[in-house]
Amino acid sequence: MARAFNHYGWKVSPYTAKTRAYLTYQSFRFNDIEPTALALYGQIKPQIGRIIMPTVKLNDGQWIQDSSNIIDHFEENGCRLSGRPSGPVQAFASSLLEVFADEWLPMAALHYRWNIEQNHEYALNEFSRSGFPWLPRLVGRRLIRPMADKMRSYLPVLGVSQVTIPGVEETTLATLTCLNTQLSQTPYVFGWRACIGDFALFGPLWAHLYRDPGSRHLFDSFPAVREWIDRLKTGYQADGQFVENDQIPAALAPLFALIMDDQWAWINTLVTQIDRYCSDTPDARRVPRALGVAPFTIRGLPGERKLITGVQWKAQRVRRCYDAAPDHCEAWLRTLPAHDGKRQRVIPTIKNRLTYHEHAMVLEAPLTTPSMD
């Protein structure tokens, strides 16, 4: 029997919840460790270069960080039931859900955690418990507050403001409504096997909205979502099949329309700005972590959001799935409901791709336009 490897992350971390649920579902043997502040600064930071969670230390001493990288490793090295559907449209849709959960739902996760006082206090206590378990709670809270304040400071970075909060809350309700409708019919979003989209959605919905006491009431009207959360916590496996014929359940169509109309309009803006930066800086090996701010909308409400370049790395994963069967993916996208009949839903071509190298994001060689000579 394989020796257990180490999985590091706090219970309040949505990305840790994502990887923990995946590893549990796959029945891997792992030590689930909540690293103390000493471990974060003395063990993880020297290996990864920064304080981040989750991280995995394999038995050969290799460290992996980023939830998607962690899942990729185990998908390619002996998982029992792949979370990647073999059908190209389902693979594309699952990837859309992962990027939505990882890069758009954090607006909801941070809003409900830091703008609700009960959740704010709960989070401070949890940070203290995880980071300084040997100290009295009041002392631990004082020491951990800079980390909590840093997390709260991401609210404007992500575009959460008094103007956009109603759109954030509408997005949350729409997500729970669509999921509940589908999960009333199947145990997981695409049938009887969990896809990577399931684990990604579970991360913020469980680790922030459901665990935090001031927002758990949001789930009162969605019993199928609560049951799905319990399945993912315990690693429940049904008969292991996705919906037949590469179909995407119709109950999820409004959610995918929302993702394309709001998040992917923003991602198109980001990709355009990265391309402009690379054009203006042709010798660049990296792009800055952010390229200023730009306007965006969420459920029709305007805001400003920082152009965080790492989001493109996640978008590239969607583009790869799309490129595997563009005609089929386009045909499915055209079936999604349109709110105003005028939106053009585009998965952008990504010319200046990003990749991880030694735990840092760098540029791959850009695509070149073929000569017309």
Side-chain angles (χ1 to χ4, degrees), residues 7 21 25 32 62 65 83 88 109 114 126 131 155 171 189 200 218 228 284 288 300 309 320 341 368:
H7 173 261
Y25 181 81
D32 193 25
Q62 178 186 357
Q65 67 97 2
W114 300 112
E126 282 289 276
L155 283 165
T171 296
V189 293
L218 296 170
W228 168 80
T309 55
R320 283 197 297 271
T368 56

PDB file of all heavy atoms in Angstrom, residues 7 21 25 32 62 65 83 88 109 114 126 131 155 171 189 200 218 228 284 288 300 309 320 341 368:
ATOM      1  N   HIS A   7      -0.885  16.806   2.583  1.00  0.00           N
ATOM      2  CA  HIS A   7      -1.728  17.838   1.963  1.00  0.00           C
ATOM      3  C   HIS A   7      -1.910  18.935   3.009  1.00  0.00           C
ATOM      4  O   HIS A   7      -2.414  18.691   4.094  1.00  0.00           O
ATOM      5  CB  HIS A   7      -3.082  17.226   1.580  1.00  0.00           C
ATOM      6  CG  HIS A   7      -4.102  18.195   1.089  1.00  0.00           C
ATOM      7  ND1 HIS A   7      -5.113  18.691   1.898  1.00  0.00           N
ATOM      8  CD2 HIS A   7      -4.297  18.748  -0.138  1.00  0.00           C
ATOM      9  CE1 HIS A   7      -5.878  19.501   1.185  1.00  0.00           C
ATOM     10  NE2 HIS A   7      -5.417  19.571  -0.044  1.00  0.00           N
ATOM     11  N   ALA A  21     -11.434  17.584  -1.251  1.00  0.00           N
ATOM     12  CA  ALA A  21     -12.580  16.829  -1.750  1.00  0.00           C
ATOM     13  C   ALA A  21     -12.169  15.905  -2.889  1.00  0.00           C
ATOM     14  O   ALA A  21     -12.612  14.747  -2.973  1.00  0.00           O
ATOM     15  CB  ALA A  21     -13.678  17.789  -2.208  1.00  0.00           C
ATOM     16  N   TYR A  25     -12.357  11.848  -2.688  1.00  0.00           N
ATOM     17  CA  TYR A  25     -13.176  11.144  -3.673  1.00  0.00           C
ATOM     18  C   TYR A  25     -12.362  10.061  -4.381  1.00  0.00           C
ATOM     19  O   TYR A  25     -12.881   8.974  -4.680  1.00  0.00           O
ATOM     20  CB  TYR A  25     -13.702  12.160  -4.685  1.00  0.00           C
ATOM     21  CG  TYR A  25     -14.588  11.586  -5.759  1.00  0.00           C
ATOM     22  CD1 TYR A  25     -15.940  11.322  -5.517  1.00  0.00           C
ATOM     23  CD2 TYR A  25     -14.092  11.331  -7.039  1.00  0.00           C
ATOM     24  CE1 TYR A  25     -16.759  10.815  -6.516  1.00  0.00           C
ATOM     25  CE2 TYR A  25     -14.900  10.830  -8.039  1.00  0.00           C
ATOM     26  CZ  TYR A  25     -16.234  10.573  -7.775  1.00  0.00           C
ATOM     27  OH  TYR A  25     -17.055  10.076  -8.762  1.00  0.00           O
ATOM     28  N   ASP A  32      -3.926  15.009   6.034  1.00  0.00           N
ATOM     29  CA  ASP A  32      -4.548  16.320   5.849  1.00  0.00           C
ATOM     30  C   ASP A  32      -4.102  17.219   6.999  1.00  0.00           C
ATOM     31  O   ASP A  32      -4.552  17.060   8.134  1.00  0.00           O
ATOM     32  CB  ASP A  32      -6.066  16.165   5.824  1.00  0.00           C
ATOM     33  CG  ASP A  32      -6.768  17.409   5.328  1.00  0.00           C
ATOM     34  OD1 ASP A  32      -6.141  18.180   4.582  1.00  0.00           O
ATOM     35  OD2 ASP A  32      -7.947  17.610   5.679  1.00  0.00           O
ATOM     36  N   GLN A  62       8.892  16.110  -3.738  1.00  0.00           N
ATOM     37  CA  GLN A  62       8.403  17.154  -4.648  1.00  0.00           C
ATOM     38  C   GLN A  62       7.233  17.911  -4.017  1.00  0.00           C
ATOM     39  O   GLN A  62       6.356  17.326  -3.385  1.00  0.00           O
ATOM     40  CB  GLN A  62       7.943  16.518  -5.962  1.00  0.00           C
ATOM     41  CG  GLN A  62       7.358  17.516  -6.965  1.00  0.00           C
ATOM     42  CD  GLN A  62       6.771  16.842  -8.186  1.00  0.00           C
ATOM     43  OE1 GLN A  62       6.840  15.611  -8.331  1.00  0.00           O
ATOM     44  NE2 GLN A  62       6.181  17.617  -9.072  1.00  0.00           N
ATOM     45  N   GLN A  65       2.003  23.242  -5.830  1.00  0.00           N
ATOM     46  CA  GLN A  65       1.068  24.258  -5.348  1.00  0.00           C
ATOM     47  C   GLN A  65       0.146  24.671  -6.482  1.00  0.00           C
ATOM     48  O   GLN A  65       0.425  24.415  -7.643  1.00  0.00           O
ATOM     49  CB  GLN A  65       1.809  25.472  -4.780  1.00  0.00           C
ATOM     50  CG  GLN A  65       2.596  26.287  -5.774  1.00  0.00           C
ATOM     51  CD  GLN A  65       1.850  27.506  -6.288  1.00  0.00           C
ATOM     52  OE1 GLN A  65       0.735  27.788  -5.884  1.00  0.00           O
ATOM     53  NE2 GLN A  65       2.487  28.228  -7.189  1.00  0.00           N
ATOM     54  N   GLY A  83     -11.720  12.935 -13.166  1.00  0.00           N
ATOM     55  CA  GLY A  83     -12.677  14.034 -13.111  1.00  0.00           C
ATOM     56  C   GLY A  83     -12.794  14.772 -14.422  1.00  0.00           C
ATOM     57  O   GLY A  83     -13.529  15.762 -14.511  1.00  0.00           O
ATOM     58  N   PRO A  88     -15.920  15.825 -25.356  1.00  0.00           N
ATOM     59  CA  PRO A  88     -15.282  17.139 -25.465  1.00  0.00           C
ATOM     60  C   PRO A  88     -16.133  18.292 -24.960  1.00  0.00           C
ATOM     61  O   PRO A  88     -15.588  19.246 -24.406  1.00  0.00           O
ATOM     62  CB  PRO A  88     -14.992  17.261 -26.962  1.00  0.00           C
ATOM     63  CG  PRO A  88     -15.942  16.323 -27.628  1.00  0.00           C
ATOM     64  CD  PRO A  88     -16.100  15.181 -26.673  1.00  0.00           C
ATOM     65  N   ALA A 109     -17.443  34.706  -2.144  1.00  0.00           N
ATOM     66  CA  ALA A 109     -16.816  34.149  -0.946  1.00  0.00           C
ATOM     67  C   ALA A 109     -16.296  35.256  -0.035  1.00  0.00           C
ATOM     68  O   ALA A 109     -16.517  35.245   1.186  1.00  0.00           O
ATOM     69  CB  ALA A 109     -15.685  33.206  -1.359  1.00  0.00           C
ATOM     70  N   TRP A 114     -16.347  38.728   4.712  1.00  0.00           N
ATOM     71  CA  TRP A 114     -15.787  39.917   5.344  1.00  0.00           C
ATOM     72  C   TRP A 114     -16.777  41.063   5.487  1.00  0.00           C
ATOM     73  O   TRP A 114     -16.506  42.004   6.233  1.00  0.00           O
ATOM     74  CB  TRP A 114     -14.542  40.370   4.587  1.00  0.00           C
ATOM     75  CG  TRP A 114     -13.485  39.306   4.568  1.00  0.00           C
ATOM     76  CD1 TRP A 114     -13.048  38.596   3.498  1.00  0.00           C
ATOM     77  CD2 TRP A 114     -12.765  38.794   5.690  1.00  0.00           C
ATOM     78  NE1 TRP A 114     -12.102  37.676   3.868  1.00  0.00           N
ATOM     79  CE2 TRP A 114     -11.896  37.784   5.219  1.00  0.00           C
ATOM     80  CE3 TRP A 114     -12.767  39.091   7.056  1.00  0.00           C
ATOM     81  CZ2 TRP A 114     -11.047  37.073   6.059  1.00  0.00           C
ATOM     82  CZ3 TRP A 114     -11.906  38.380   7.891  1.00  0.00           C
ATOM     83  CH2 TRP A 114     -11.060  37.389   7.387  1.00  0.00           C
ATOM     84  N   GLU A 126     -11.085  31.201  13.300  1.00  0.00           N
ATOM     85  CA  GLU A 126     -10.565  30.054  12.566  1.00  0.00           C
ATOM     86  C   GLU A 126      -9.118  30.279  12.143  1.00  0.00           C
ATOM     87  O   GLU A 126      -8.286  29.368  12.216  1.00  0.00           O
ATOM     88  CB  GLU A 126     -11.449  29.787  11.335  1.00  0.00           C
ATOM     89  CG  GLU A 126     -12.744  29.084  11.644  1.00  0.00           C
ATOM     90  CD  GLU A 126     -12.509  27.634  12.024  1.00  0.00           C
ATOM     91  OE1 GLU A 126     -12.389  26.776  11.125  1.00  0.00           O
ATOM     92  OE2 GLU A 126     -12.402  27.353  13.240  1.00  0.00           O
ATOM     93  N   GLY A 131      -3.567  28.924  12.704  1.00  0.00           N
ATOM     94  CA  GLY A 131      -2.212  29.462  12.674  1.00  0.00           C
ATOM     95  C   GLY A 131      -1.474  29.380  13.997  1.00  0.00           C
ATOM     96  O   GLY A 131      -0.254  29.163  14.025  1.00  0.00           O
ATOM     97  N   LEU A 155     -11.232  42.526  -1.532  1.00  0.00           N
ATOM     98  CA  LEU A 155     -12.594  42.875  -1.969  1.00  0.00           C
ATOM     99  C   LEU A 155     -12.576  43.884  -3.118  1.00  0.00           C
ATOM    100  O   LEU A 155     -13.148  43.626  -4.189  1.00  0.00           O
ATOM    101  CB  LEU A 155     -13.417  43.382  -0.785  1.00  0.00           C
ATOM    102  CG  LEU A 155     -13.933  42.313   0.182  1.00  0.00           C
ATOM    103  CD1 LEU A 155     -14.397  42.942   1.480  1.00  0.00           C
ATOM    104  CD2 LEU A 155     -15.078  41.535  -0.464  1.00  0.00           C
ATOM    105  N   THR A 171     -25.583  36.553  -8.448  1.00  0.00           N
ATOM    106  CA  THR A 171     -24.777  35.459  -8.999  1.00  0.00           C
ATOM    107  C   THR A 171     -24.786  34.259  -8.065  1.00  0.00           C
ATOM    108  O   THR A 171     -24.912  33.107  -8.506  1.00  0.00           O
ATOM    109  CB  THR A 171     -23.339  35.943  -9.238  1.00  0.00           C
ATOM    110  OG1 THR A 171     -23.349  36.980 -10.225  1.00  0.00           O
ATOM    111  CG2 THR A 171     -22.436  34.805  -9.710  1.00  0.00           C
ATOM    112  N   VAL A 189     -22.832  17.186 -10.832  1.00  0.00           N
ATOM    113  CA  VAL A 189     -23.388  18.139 -11.794  1.00  0.00           C
ATOM    114  C   VAL A 189     -23.561  17.549 -13.186  1.00  0.00           C
ATOM    115  O   VAL A 189     -24.482  17.939 -13.915  1.00  0.00           O
ATOM    116  CB  VAL A 189     -22.549  19.438 -11.859  1.00  0.00           C
ATOM    117  CG1 VAL A 189     -22.645  20.212 -10.572  1.00  0.00           C
ATOM    118  CG2 VAL A 189     -21.109  19.173 -12.251  1.00  0.00           C
ATOM    119  N   ALA A 200     -14.316  22.122  -7.789  1.00  0.00           N
ATOM    120  CA  ALA A 200     -14.032  23.558  -7.788  1.00  0.00           C
ATOM    121  C   ALA A 200     -15.188  24.342  -7.181  1.00  0.00           C
ATOM    122  O   ALA A 200     -14.978  25.256  -6.371  1.00  0.00           O
ATOM    123  CB  ALA A 200     -13.752  24.030  -9.210  1.00  0.00           C
ATOM    124  N   LEU A 218     -28.158  30.750   3.455  1.00  0.00           N
ATOM    125  CA  LEU A 218     -28.352  30.799   2.009  1.00  0.00           C
ATOM    126  C   LEU A 218     -28.715  29.430   1.443  1.00  0.00           C
ATOM    127  O   LEU A 218     -29.335  29.347   0.378  1.00  0.00           O
ATOM    128  CB  LEU A 218     -27.074  31.301   1.324  1.00  0.00           C
ATOM    129  CG  LEU A 218     -26.629  32.733   1.629  1.00  0.00           C
ATOM    130  CD1 LEU A 218     -25.234  32.983   1.064  1.00  0.00           C
ATOM    131  CD2 LEU A 218     -27.622  33.737   1.056  1.00  0.00           C
ATOM    132  N   TRP A 228     -25.306  17.340  -1.805  1.00  0.00           N
ATOM    133  CA  TRP A 228     -24.102  17.285  -2.651  1.00  0.00           C
ATOM    134  C   TRP A 228     -22.856  17.648  -1.853  1.00  0.00           C
ATOM    135  O   TRP A 228     -21.805  16.998  -1.981  1.00  0.00           O
ATOM    136  CB  TRP A 228     -24.318  18.238  -3.820  1.00  0.00           C
ATOM    137  CG  TRP A 228     -23.164  18.587  -4.685  1.00  0.00           C
ATOM    138  CD1 TRP A 228     -22.633  17.841  -5.704  1.00  0.00           C
ATOM    139  CD2 TRP A 228     -22.430  19.824  -4.674  1.00  0.00           C
ATOM    140  NE1 TRP A 228     -21.612  18.535  -6.322  1.00  0.00           N
ATOM    141  CE2 TRP A 228     -21.467  19.751  -5.713  1.00  0.00           C
ATOM    142  CE3 TRP A 228     -22.501  20.983  -3.914  1.00  0.00           C
ATOM    143  CZ2 TRP A 228     -20.573  20.798  -5.984  1.00  0.00           C
ATOM    144  CZ3 TRP A 228     -21.629  22.022  -4.177  1.00  0.00           C
ATOM    145  CH2 TRP A 228     -20.675  21.926  -5.199  1.00  0.00           C
ATOM    146  N   ALA A 284       9.835  40.553 -22.965  1.00  0.00           N
ATOM    147  CA  ALA A 284       9.389  40.148 -21.627  1.00  0.00           C
ATOM    148  C   ALA A 284       9.404  38.631 -21.490  1.00  0.00           C
ATOM    149  O   ALA A 284       9.003  37.907 -22.407  1.00  0.00           O
ATOM    150  CB  ALA A 284       7.995  40.686 -21.343  1.00  0.00           C
ATOM    151  N   PRO A 288       3.593  41.301 -15.487  1.00  0.00           N
ATOM    152  CA  PRO A 288       3.330  41.678 -14.091  1.00  0.00           C
ATOM    153  C   PRO A 288       2.145  40.897 -13.534  1.00  0.00           C
ATOM    154  O   PRO A 288       1.284  40.415 -14.276  1.00  0.00           O
ATOM    155  CB  PRO A 288       3.020  43.178 -14.191  1.00  0.00           C
ATOM    156  CG  PRO A 288       3.641  43.623 -15.476  1.00  0.00           C
ATOM    157  CD  PRO A 288       3.534  42.457 -16.399  1.00  0.00           C
ATOM    158  N   GLY A 300     -25.127  43.056 -14.937  1.00  0.00           N
ATOM    159  CA  GLY A 300     -25.481  44.365 -15.455  1.00  0.00           C
ATOM    160  C   GLY A 300     -25.014  45.542 -14.633  1.00  0.00           C
ATOM    161  O   GLY A 300     -25.196  46.695 -15.048  1.00  0.00           O
ATOM    162  N   THR A 309      -3.209  38.920 -13.909  1.00  0.00           N
ATOM    163  CA  THR A 309      -2.816  38.196 -15.106  1.00  0.00           C
ATOM    164  C   THR A 309      -2.870  36.683 -14.953  1.00  0.00           C
ATOM    165  O   THR A 309      -3.069  35.961 -15.926  1.00  0.00           O
ATOM    166  CB  THR A 309      -1.407  38.627 -15.549  1.00  0.00           C
ATOM    167  OG1 THR A 309      -0.489  38.446 -14.459  1.00  0.00           O
ATOM    168  CG2 THR A 309      -1.399  40.086 -15.975  1.00  0.00           C
ATOM    169  N   ARG A 320      -7.957  25.187 -24.289  1.00  0.00           N
ATOM    170  CA  ARG A 320      -7.479  23.887 -24.765  1.00  0.00           C
ATOM    171  C   ARG A 320      -8.636  22.903 -24.951  1.00  0.00           C
ATOM    172  O   ARG A 320      -8.670  22.164 -25.931  1.00  0.00           O
ATOM    173  CB  ARG A 320      -6.440  23.310 -23.803  1.00  0.00           C
ATOM    174  CG  ARG A 320      -5.069  23.948 -23.915  1.00  0.00           C
ATOM    175  CD  ARG A 320      -4.001  23.080 -23.265  1.00  0.00           C
ATOM    176  NE  ARG A 320      -4.214  22.929 -21.842  1.00  0.00           N
ATOM    177  CZ  ARG A 320      -3.728  23.761 -20.924  1.00  0.00           C
ATOM    178  NH1 ARG A 320      -3.028  24.814 -21.291  1.00  0.00           N
ATOM    179  NH2 ARG A 320      -3.941  23.539 -19.639  1.00  0.00           N
ATOM    180  N   GLY A 341     -30.283  39.124 -26.358  1.00  0.00           N
ATOM    181  CA  GLY A 341     -30.245  38.737 -27.748  1.00  0.00           C
ATOM    182  C   GLY A 341     -29.086  39.316 -28.537  1.00  0.00           C
ATOM    183  O   GLY A 341     -28.973  39.093 -29.737  1.00  0.00           O
ATOM    184  N   THR A 368       3.140  32.940 -33.323  1.00  0.00           N
ATOM    185  CA  THR A 368       3.463  33.915 -34.350  1.00  0.00           C
ATOM    186  C   THR A 368       2.483  33.782 -35.510  1.00  0.00           C
ATOM    187  O   THR A 368       1.926  32.703 -35.757  1.00  0.00           O
ATOM    188  CB  THR A 368       4.885  33.687 -34.889  1.00  0.00           C
ATOM    189  OG1 THR A 368       4.996  32.347 -35.367  1.00  0.00           O
ATOM    190  CG2 THR A 368       5.916  33.915 -33.797  1.00  0.00           C
TER     191      THR A 368
END
